[in-house]
Amino acid sequence: MSLSSQANAAAGGDLPVLNVAMVGHAFMGRAHSNAWRQCNRFFDLPFRVVPKVIVGRHAERAAAAAHKLGFEHATTDLDAVLADPTIHIVDVATPNDSHHDITMAALKAKKHVLCEKPLAMTLVQAKAMAALAKKQKVRVGLWHNYRRAPATRLAAQMIARGDIGAVRQVRAVYLQDWLADASVPASWRTSKKTCGSGAHGDLNAHLIDLTRALTGLEFESVCGVQQTFTKERPDGAGGKAKVDVDDAFLFLAKFKGGAIGSYEATRTAPGRKNHNCIEVSGEKGSIRWNLERMNELEVFLQDAPRDAQGFRTVMCMDSVHPYAANWWPDGHIVGYEHTFVHHVVDFVTALHDGSAFAPNFEDGVAVQAVLEASLAAAKAGNWVKVPR
Ligand code: SOE
């Protein structure tokens, strides 16, 4: 075999191809493109994933992004991309208000879809997307990437096998501070028309999904409180733009089966850069994960003598831990971007073997139902049932 064909084979050249079209190319587009590029290099996959085309609103910017992010070409014509039979997966990496329309068009074109979170602007939209995905018999997923840190994957496995006993409480915070300063300009993330809600849909969405992934708990009812501390921001053109979404949103939850939980999302907590932290308390133990120390899992189990019990830190980067063996020798660590690679690895594998992939659009509907019920509860000032 010639060197070039050996190299081609090594990079999965003899594998069937999955061509990816990515719509959007900002922050999430950069994180996703890294995952599409790296997945075959570190994992043995049944497909060769090809970052094929970036779809953007501005031709020059999309072309520059395609060059920088490793896509073969760029276009502003989404319809042409969806009509192209050689495109297999559509990756929706755009702001929230376009998730529904782009995804529905991709589903109608029978493309597999991975969509950024939150799935939609409303529960009605989310349900329509899930229903069409089912009807079209294509595979779909949501980019709730925090499910796939080695440590969170391990936490889910430990809880599922009963290490901490029945789950009683969840306490989850996702704290950022990039909007703490009132001079930070308005963006699509501060206008209800383009984002649906503020920290709530942006960050509580992650906490809701991660809770479901770690514990399997389903939400029964919620009550909440929200606040917008900065009610208008510079609009970038010398004027002011109204902020009509929450800066901070806290809610309490009752789960089916009696467990309870507390959730806090804010983008105005000075000093908290990306503090996504979830603690689960069971009958006989607790588990705590902090994104800022993402390879570590704090574990309290009653498996030591009474006078020697305490939280211990498990470094989740040994070959026994999920995904870890594919990267480096024991103890070497991974980062935020690897959670997206793991997402792609599992999605592509599920595409091939027909296995389940989560979070799918049913999971997206479940998140949307909690987001919407807690928004209603915060407005009404009382408890609201979460629709199934
Ligand atoms: C901004 O809050 C943001 O980029 C979120 O939109 C992402 O989902 C989160 O992972 C990091 O912070």
Side-chain angles (χ1 to χ4, degrees):
M1 187 190 281
S2 72
L3 202 57
S4 63
S5 51
Q6 279 172 19
N8 184 37
D14 302 333
L15 292 171
V17 161
L18 276 181
N19 292 319
V20 179
M22 184 170 77
V23 189
H25 48 79
F27 171 14
M28 284 301 133
R30 292 171 61 230
H32 298 182
S33 56
N34 177 67
W36 297 119
R37 286 196 314 272
Q38 297 287 57
C39 60
N40 283 111
R41 294 188 172 90
F42 286 88
F43 291 79
D44 297 326
L45 298 179
F47 290 109
R48 181 161 62 87
V49 173
V50 178
K52 203 76 180 170
V53 57
I54 280 187
V55 184
R57 282 176 299 183
H58 307 283
E60 306 71 39
R61 286 187 217 159
H67 175 71
K68 192 164 181 73
L69 300 178
F71 282 75
E72 291 179 10
H73 57 97
T75 179
T76 57
D77 187 347
L78 175 62
D79 293 341
V81 167
L82 297 184
D84 179 348
T86 67
I87 294 295
H88 306 100
I89 296 175
V90 172
D91 174 1
V92 183
T94 57
N96 302 354
D97 62 334
S98 56
H99 291 182
H100 171 269
D101 292 357
I102 295 170
T103 298
M104 294 299 268
L107 293 174
K108 284 171 188 150
K110 300 227 39 115
K111 305 302 184 186
H112 303 299
V113 176
L114 256 181
C115 183
E116 253 306 324
K117 41 56 61 179
L119 179 58
M121 297 282 276
T122 64
L123 181 56
V124 168
Q125 277 190 349
K127 286 183 171 179
M129 295 158 85
L132 185 55
K134 207 169 185 171
K135 176 172 172 281
Q136 298 293 73
K137 295 187 174 57
V138 291
R139 301 307 301 270
V140 292
L142 263 180
W143 285 98
H144 279 295
N145 56 300
Y146 298 119
R147 283 181 178 235
R148 290 185 163 85
T152 50
R153 200 75 170 174
L154 173 66
Q157 291 168 356
M158 289 176 69
I159 293 170
R161 72 187 184 210
D163 287 12
I164 66 170
V167 172
R168 285 177 167 157
Q169 285 185 254
V170 171
R171 60 194 66 76
V173 298
Y174 199 153
L175 317 177
Q176 296 177 345
D177 69 0
W178 58 279
L179 284 179
D181 183 340
S183 67
V184 171
S187 71
W188 70 265
R189 292 179 186 273
T190 58
S191 163
K192 186 174 170 55
K193 184 173 165 299
T194 46
C195 66
S197 62
H200 192 43
D202 190 15
L203 303 177
N204 270 332
H206 277 303
L207 298 180
I208 295 161
D209 181 71
L210 196 51
T211 304
R212 296 184 70 247
L214 296 187
T215 68
L217 291 173
E218 288 302 348
F219 291 77
E220 186 169 78
S221 58
V222 289
C223 71
V225 61
Q226 64 177 328
Q227 185 56 280
T228 305
F229 300 107
T230 303
K231 306 219 188 286
E232 58 177 24
R233 291 182 174 274
D235 62 4
K240 290 278 186 186
K242 188 166 170 293
V243 176
D244 55 359
V245 292
D246 58 284
D247 284 322
F249 197 112
L250 294 79
F251 72 95
L252 298 178
K254 296 177 190 170
F255 297 100
K256 293 181 173 46
I260 56 176
S262 61
Y263 295 78
E264 177 182 357
T266 180
R267 301 183 296 199
T268 56
R272 292 297 186 190
K273 298 306 170 186
N274 203 28
H275 188 75
N276 174 352
C277 193
I278 187 164
E279 181 168 310
V280 181
S281 305
E283 281 173 319
K284 57 181 183 174
S286 295
I287 280 179
R288 181 174 185 271
W289 178 72
N290 172 2
L291 172 61
E292 292 165 340
R293 303 176 71 97
M294 70 168 269
N295 294 290
E296 301 171 15
L297 193 65
E298 292 177 62
V299 175
F300 176 84
L301 300 174
Q302 292 159 344
D303 56 355
R306 180 73 185 79
D307 60 0
Q309 289 182 3
F311 269 93
R312 60 178 182 259
T313 300
V314 178
M315 262 307 285
C316 307
M317 273 314 292
D318 284 1
S319 56
V320 295
H321 295 125
Y323 311 109
N326 283 74
W327 293 103
W328 321 118
D330 286 2
H332 292 62
I333 57 175
V334 293
Y336 171 73
E337 74 277 17
H338 296 83
T339 64
F340 292 90
V341 179
H342 302 156
H343 228 70
V344 161
V345 165
D346 289 351
F347 187 69
V348 164
T349 303
L351 264 185
H352 179 260
D353 65 19
S355 56
F357 176 83
N360 55 37
F361 282 8
E362 303 302 330
D363 298 301
V365 167
V367 171
Q368 213 77 36
V370 177
L371 288 175
E372 213 153 278
S374 38
L375 262 170
K379 284 180 186 138
N382 55 22
W383 284 87
V384 169
K385 276 205 169 309
V386 177
R388 279 297 297 143

